[in-house]
Amino acid sequence: MIIHLRYKYFFLLSFLIAYFVSDVSFIIREYLPIIDDYLYGRRFPTMSKSTTPILIVEIDDETVKRYGYLPYKRSSYGEVISRILEGKPKVLGIDIFFYKIRDLNDDIKLVKILENAKSNVVLAYEKDELDRLLLNQLSYKTAYRNNDNVTLANAKVTHVSYNNESFAIDVNTDTYKGKDYLPFPFEVVSKYLGGKAIHSFYKNLSYHYTLINYTDRKFPSIPFWKVKDTEPAVFKDKIVLIAATSLPLGDIHQTPISKKTPGTYILAYTIDMLLNGNFIVPIDENHQKALTFLAAFVTSLIALTLKRLPAFFVTIFSIIAIKLVTDMLFHDYLIYMYFVPFLFALLITHLIVIVYTNTLKSVC
């Protein structure tokens, strides 16, 4: 009966320790998110099984040598865009901002190509900058004919972690003069699917952003300067993205897979993820707290019943096991679970038990 009461006491004490510790561990995480952000980023790249036909037209270092630094003449863009459209891509996404009228006669050469585009074209803009967009300014000065195949999308939609890595894409629509505009990757995917609504994607998203799945896929590319000499058939039925990738042009970002990832590659990984449905799914925080509580409870119960050295090794083994489980869930099932709350919960639990047992010895 004495032993029975002793274990009841240990059980209750372990429950109270775990209840306290699981809350504290999440408070600590709020002040040290950089640790989880770092560990999260180190799990990439994931394995790709995708065959999404994405082709990137790069304004690369060689293009800069031949054409000089941006901005280029609008007619130069027009020649490249015209060549791509000859090949009948499913979607042409232009991750370049065409703001303001610079040279009306030259600008109109580009605009006429967009007016007559038979394929879907998505033009990028930055949030709150739609008034400055060339097409909106031209509509007041020329008889610009709207083309339903040409749509606009907000391209500045990445979220940056505390580790300064682009880790997620905003999913919120942007509203301008009563009209909603999708984020660039979502608009490209919508057009690729034939203009269908993509609300089905949003059921997979529990936040105002979606985590980007950086896979080990290598996207094929063609230099901007080489497009005019490329057979149009190369672009047929593809998602073609035009963007600056040269380091001096500035659209370079730190990501989990590289410290120098061009912005259009971030968009490409997101488009690939949306079309293939290989989302990274975060475990709900309430479920995460319940699992953290359970880990702390079990560790506390073991630490109270074992001697100090075995209890220490059990705690260390538990931390290693949980790290392996969280990594396995991520790599095999794309399920993201915080590791840091587990780490702090187990360490704090062990510390409390040591202090408690030392106190008992001093009293005795």
Side-chain angles (χ1 to χ4, degrees):
M1 184 67 180
I2 294 173
I3 294 174
H4 182 64
L5 286 174
R6 180 188 175 196
Y7 279 98
K8 272 189 173 180
Y9 173 72
F10 283 168
F11 184 90
L12 179 60
L13 182 60
S14 297
F15 183 90
L16 292 173
I17 291 172
Y19 184 81
F20 166 75
V21 162
S22 57
D23 277 342
V24 169
S25 64
F26 271 83
I27 292 170
I28 294 173
R29 185 194 177 275
E30 289 300 313
Y31 286 96
L32 292 170
I34 194 170
I35 299 174
D36 249 330
D37 283 351
Y38 175 80
L39 293 173
Y40 172 76
R42 304 294 70 76
R43 289 172 176 150
F44 290 101
T46 59
M47 187 177 295
S48 172
K49 297 179 181 177
S50 169
T51 56
T52 305
I54 297 174
L55 175 63
I56 298 175
V57 174
E58 301 190 51
I59 302 178
D60 58 0
D61 292 336
E62 183 60 30
T63 303
V64 171
K65 286 181 184 177
R66 291 168 179 257
Y67 285 72
Y69 288 100
L70 299 178
Y72 300 150
K73 292 176 67 175
R74 300 274 165 75
S75 56
S76 297
Y77 289 115
E79 290 171 1
V80 171
I81 291 168
S82 180
R83 186 68 168 176
I84 294 170
L85 291 175
E86 280 182 50
K88 299 180 180 179
K90 277 284 188 72
V91 186
L92 170 57
I94 305 174
D95 186 19
I96 295 165
F97 305 126
F98 295 132
Y99 290 140
K100 295 185 177 181
I101 297 170
R102 291 211 306 261
D103 178 339
L104 187 57
N105 291 330
D106 189 64
D107 292 346
I108 286 175
K109 292 177 183 177
L110 169 62
V111 170
K112 290 302 177 186
I113 291 168
L114 296 175
E115 280 183 344
N116 297 303
K118 298 287 194 296
S119 298
N120 294 303
V121 179
V122 179
L123 293 175
Y125 73 89
E126 295 171 291
K127 187 175 176 62
D128 300 325
E129 296 288 350
L130 270 168
D131 276 326
R132 295 177 58 228
L133 203 65
L134 174 64
L135 295 187
N136 288 332
Q137 294 198 348
L138 276 176
S139 62
Y140 303 119
K141 293 183 176 287
T142 68
Y144 167 62
R145 178 174 57 81
N146 188 47
N147 182 352
D148 289 338
N149 291 328
V150 179
T151 54
L152 311 176
N154 182 12
K156 293 295 183 182
V157 288
T158 55
H159 288 262
V160 178
S161 70
Y162 285 91
N163 203 37
N164 203 33
E165 294 176 341
S166 297
F167 77 103
I169 288 281
D170 199 324
V171 303
N172 294 320
T173 55
D174 189 23
T175 303
Y176 174 76
K177 293 185 177 178
K179 185 176 178 181
D180 290 334
Y181 296 89
L182 290 171
F184 191 90
F186 286 84
E187 181 65 19
V188 169
V189 169
S190 177
K191 292 299 181 183
Y192 183 78
L193 296 175
K196 296 177 184 176
I198 56 172
H199 299 300
S200 58
F201 290 123
Y202 284 85
K203 70 183 180 183
N204 294 295
L205 311 175
S206 54
Y207 304 99
H208 63 280
Y209 61 83
T210 179
L211 299 169
I212 302 167
N213 188 357
Y214 290 100
T215 66
D216 57 5
R217 182 176 178 189
K218 306 298 181 186
F219 297 103
S221 64
I222 296 175
F224 184 87
W225 64 270
K226 212 172 183 178
V227 169
K228 288 185 287 183
D229 299 322
T230 302
E231 284 297 317
V234 169
F235 307 107
K236 186 173 177 57
D237 293 333
K238 290 185 172 63
I239 295 173
V240 182
L241 303 176
I242 303 177
T245 59
S246 178
L247 182 60
L249 299 182
D251 191 19
I252 303 295
H253 307 266
Q254 189 170 324
T255 65
I257 56 172
S258 172
K259 291 185 178 180
K260 296 177 182 178
T261 305
T264 196
Y265 279 82
I266 297 174
L267 299 175
Y269 283 116
T270 307
I271 291 165
D272 192 51
M273 178 185 72
L274 293 172
L275 283 170
N276 289 283
N278 55 337
F279 295 94
I280 295 169
V281 182
I283 288 184
D284 181 78
E285 192 164 300
N286 289 330
H287 294 156
Q288 172 86 50
K289 285 183 176 179
L291 290 169
T292 306
F293 168 82
L294 182 63
F297 173 71
V298 171
T299 301
S300 178
L301 196 59
I302 291 171
L304 282 166
T305 53
L306 292 178
K307 292 183 178 180
R308 185 171 297 176
L309 190 59
F312 171 75
F313 283 114
V314 167
T315 300
I316 297 302
F317 175 79
S318 300
I319 291 170
I320 294 170
I322 289 169
K323 178 66 168 64
L324 293 174
V325 167
T326 55
D327 286 349
M328 182 191 70
L329 287 173
F330 190 87
H331 284 293
D332 295 345
Y333 304 101
L334 296 179
I335 294 174
Y336 172 49
M337 185 160 54
Y338 300 141
F339 171 68
V340 169
F342 282 123
L343 174 66
F344 284 120
L346 270 59
L347 290 175
I348 295 169
T349 297
H350 191 81
L351 180 63
I352 289 173
V353 170
I354 289 174
V355 172
Y356 171 73
T357 51
N358 280 345
T359 303
L360 286 182
K361 286 179 181 178
S362 64
V363 170
C364 295

